[in-house]
Amino acid sequence: MESIFRIEGEFESYHFKNRLNRFAVETEEGKICHLHDPGRLEELLTPGREIYAIRKYKGLECEIIYTKVEDEFILINSKYHNSIAKNIIEKGLLGKNFKLKKSEIKLNDMRIDFLLDFNEKDYYLEVKGCTLLDGEFAKFPDAPTRRGTHHLKKLAELRRDGYGAGVLFLVFRKARYFMPNYERDQDFYYALIDAVRWGVDIFPLRLYFDGRRFFALGLIEIKIDGPAGI
């Protein structure tokens, strides 16, 4: 199986103690590390959990890259998402003949991650990372995300205007299904349902991470719970 992305650098192992704020973590070893992930990560960052980091980050002692749950290595650093997604697009792993045109497209008061060409038509693709596992279900989001809801509404608007639009969920867990998380964010849930009704594509792509390299395992099935359950 061919790797789609590799993280470089020397990793050091620490143990999670507590989250000082949204972007800073204290380890049991007394290190203060940068956390580049907007998610709540409560199910992953529990006291004593092993975390892996690269030394030094903008004045802090380290930057967290991933954690380990049983035999799973789980990326918890969102700065890599678009690099992974770019390789997925270029390798044609989403089942559509996409061609990359631009990254980080500004649309009024927000940015969309990618502008693609699909059959000579503009197609907008947003990327999200999914780390929450509930049984066989990968769920997004793990905390309320106003930004994510705005992205879905913008993608639905783009579809209404005749453009192509989709969301790529990078699933970093051993999941069989993907599900919008009604319990954590009902606004996001309803925005996703509405986006799908307008023709926005949903691509939940499961990835395997060996602590250094990422491998694409394929798209997983979407299931909907909550009031719109199917």
Side-chain angles (χ1 to χ4, degrees), residues 16-54:
F16 176 81
K17 182 177 181 181
N18 67 291
R19 197 163 179 173
L20 300 176
N21 56 49
R22 189 180 180 192
F23 295 111
V25 159
E26 181 182 11
T27 74
E28 291 182 349
E29 292 78 10
K31 301 286 186 181
I32 305 298
C33 297
H34 177 68
L35 178 63
H36 196 291
D37 195 305
R40 191 171 288 171
L41 306 176
E42 289 180 338
E43 291 80 7
L44 295 178
L45 294 180
T46 56
R49 175 81 69 198
E50 193 169 12
I51 52 179
Y52 296 82
I54 294 175

Side-chain angles (χ1 to χ4, degrees), residues 1 16 18 30 41 53 96 102 112 134 138 160 168 222-223:
M1 188 185 306
F16 176 81
N18 67 291
L41 306 176
K96 290 180 180 284
K102 292 181 181 179
I112 300 295
D134 183 5
R160 291 194 294 272
L168 168 58
I222 302 167
K223 288 188 177 290

Side-chain angles (χ1 to χ4, degrees), residues 97-132:
N97 186 29
F98 290 131
K99 294 180 181 178
L100 182 62
K101 294 179 70 173
K102 292 181 181 179
S103 301
E104 293 289 324
I105 312 306
K106 188 173 182 180
L107 296 174
N108 298 324
D109 60 341
M110 70 174 60
R111 292 182 183 271
I112 300 295
D113 289 318
F114 294 102
L115 173 62
L116 311 176
D117 176 89
F118 179 57
N119 294 336
E120 300 184 350
K121 179 179 178 180
D122 282 348
Y123 188 106
Y124 293 87
L125 183 72
E126 180 64 17
V127 179
K128 305 292 182 187
C130 181
T131 60
L132 177 60

